[in-house]
């Protein structure tokens, strides 16, 4: 059996950035991603609206204090722009009342978006990598250690295979390690319990996006931002591109995942459109295209526990497990392992950077 120096499990932002940095260091690696495309929680949509249109079904924003993502975007020549927030916000308290207008509540620029959607960052990273080293549709279904080697069981289009590596980098959320990677074979109970305690950020959420051929809300002095106690969406924002051509609104759906799962995608989309109409007026009923992604239904992101809990950030005690991880030659690179900005895009880059530095220090 061929032994790869490093196997990376997971091809989201943290996995791809890990691969990118290992490649720069000339350290051999193989990246395994379960889905048919890279990106993980970063998911875009192909549209007929042109390449500047960003349909971000997962994350939308990064924030000005997050230095690493700005640095990586600059290095990969991926552009960004400020979230549109000029004008008033709206507050929908009752379904039968006109929404209250909140003057300039959106205020100063507080967040940034990637031009063409965050998927552009994933594409730019994947493009830099040696294609034979990054594999999609390779689900890791079990891991064990045999003397000093890692044995990694994969399923690729129904075919099982066991791969071997000297070192293992896990770029998947902590609870997915417990769910898929048989930690009882090689980890202490304490480490397994601490992994299980970390919620995967935003994994229980669902997002709705509707595109429009004109930004009627902007023309009415509105920022596109709205808050609602009526639902199904609880928070709405402008999701337009930064050109003067493609316009959109997006919202986070506030219904619990068990309630959502009783509705068809079309029923939920229709309720979201009706709500946009009630908040922004009848023009909002004429959406061109609408999209909905329920992350709670994605088995490569959410676990049953994530979906049941209220949202909270991970606080993984990395230092407490340093010795065990070092002796296993096991590195944890997903966003939830970051010691700052855990759960965010910035966290994914920081955790990956820490993992690569640890690999470098041991080689
Ligand atoms: C709706 C939503 C909104 C968000 N909004 C923001 C935002 O505005 N700003 C922000 O900073 N962050 C936001 N986030 C969080 C952000 O998306 C994450 O921090 C980031 O994408 C995490 O990247 P990652 O690579 O660490 O993990 P992931 O993106 O989860 O990647 C893990 C990868 O591993 C793969 N995988 C899992 N199990 C296996 C297995 N057994 N075998 C092989 N592959 C496997 C998965 O398919 C996935 O591709 C949001 C997330 C969601 C869902």
């Amino acid at each position: 059996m061929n032994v790869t120096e490093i196997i990376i499990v997971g091809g989201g932002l943290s996995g791809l950035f890990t691969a990118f940095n290992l490649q720069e260091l000339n350290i051999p690696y193989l990246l395994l991603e379960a889905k048919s495309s890279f990106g993980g929680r970063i998911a875009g949509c192909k549209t007929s609206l042109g390449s500047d249109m960003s349909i971000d079904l997962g994350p939308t924003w990064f924030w000005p204090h997050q230095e690493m993502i700005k640095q990586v975007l600059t290095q990969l020549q991926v552009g960004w722009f400020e979230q549109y927030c000029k004008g008033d916000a709206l507050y929908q308290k009752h379904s039968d009342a006109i929404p209250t207008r909140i003057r300039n509540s959106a205020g100063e620029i507080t967040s940034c978006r990637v031009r063409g959607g965050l998927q552009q960052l994933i594409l730019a990273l994947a493009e830099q990598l040696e294609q034979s080293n990054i594999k999609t549709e390779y689900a890791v279904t079990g891991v064990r250690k045999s003397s000093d080697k890692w044995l990694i069981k994969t399923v690729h289009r129904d075919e099982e295979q066991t791969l071997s590596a000297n070192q293992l980098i896990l770029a998947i959320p902590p609870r997915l390690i417990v769910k898929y990677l048989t930690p009882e074979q090689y980890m202490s109970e304490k480490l397994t319990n601490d992994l299980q305690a970390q919620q995967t950020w935003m994994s229980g959420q669902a997002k709705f996006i509707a595109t429009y051929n004109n930004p009627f809300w902007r023309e009415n002095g509105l920022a596109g931002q709205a808050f609602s106690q009526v639902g199904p969406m609880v928070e709405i924002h402008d999701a337009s591109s930064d050109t003067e051509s493609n316009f959109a609104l997006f919202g986070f759906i506030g219904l619990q995942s068990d309630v959502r799962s009783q509705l068809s995608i079309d029923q939920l989309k229709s309720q979201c459109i009706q709500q946009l109409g009630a908040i922004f007026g009848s023009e909002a009923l004429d959406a061109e295209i609408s999209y909905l992604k329920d992350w709670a239904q994605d088995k490569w992101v959410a676990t049953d526990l994530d979906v049941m809990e209220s949202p909270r950030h991970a606080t993984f005690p990395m230092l407490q497990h340093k010795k065990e991880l070092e002796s296993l030659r096991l590195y944890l690179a997903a966003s939830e392992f970051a010691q700052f900005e855990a759960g965010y895009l910035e966290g994914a880059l920081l955790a990956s950077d820490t993992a690569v530095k640890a690999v470098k220090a041991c080689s």
Side-chain angles (χ1 to χ4, degrees), residues 10 12-14 33-34 40-41 59-61 140 172 202 335 343-345:
L13 179 59
S14 63
E33 164 56 45
R41 276 170 276 177
T60 309
W61 301 299
V140 176
I172 68 176
M202 298 297 280
S335 179
Y344 293 113
L345 299 162

